[in-house]
Amino acid sequence: LLNWKDERKVINMKLVYPAIFEHCSDYGEYYLVTIPDLDGISTEGETLEEAMGMAIDVASIWLLDKLEN
């Protein structure tokens, strides 16, 4: 859920983007997440749950930046 404020109202949007989750073990165990539709941004987490949370956070930050600029 993304909240965006302008001078008159708050807009609530639910946006869905595909994400690619890869289990990696080259430097320890972790999950790499890439979101191709958002300029290929990526993040990672030690567990699948953590990687999902990190993906939501990085996508939200990316989208807010695009809306504000």
Side-chain angles (χ1 to χ4, degrees):
L1 186 62
L2 178 67
N3 291 318
W4 179 63
K5 296 179 183 179
D6 70 11
E7 295 174 2
R8 296 163 285 173
K9 58 187 170 184
V10 174
I11 299 171
N12 291 312
M13 296 180 279
K14 184 173 185 176
L15 304 171
V16 178
Y17 291 93
I20 300 168
F21 289 78
E22 299 176 68
H23 181 255
C24 301
S25 58
D26 50 353
Y27 299 105
E29 299 286 324
Y30 65 97
Y31 290 87
L32 176 66
V33 187
T34 305
I35 306 171
D37 291 348
L38 303 182
D39 291 339
I41 60 172
S42 63
T43 188
E44 62 185 56
E46 290 183 11
T47 65
L48 187 55
E49 183 177 287
E50 183 180 290
M52 291 171 76
M54 295 295 287
I56 291 168
D57 288 347
V58 74
S60 296
I61 291 167
W62 189 93
L63 290 164
L64 283 171
D65 182 63
K66 293 298 177 187
L67 285 171
E68 291 175 352
N69 296 316

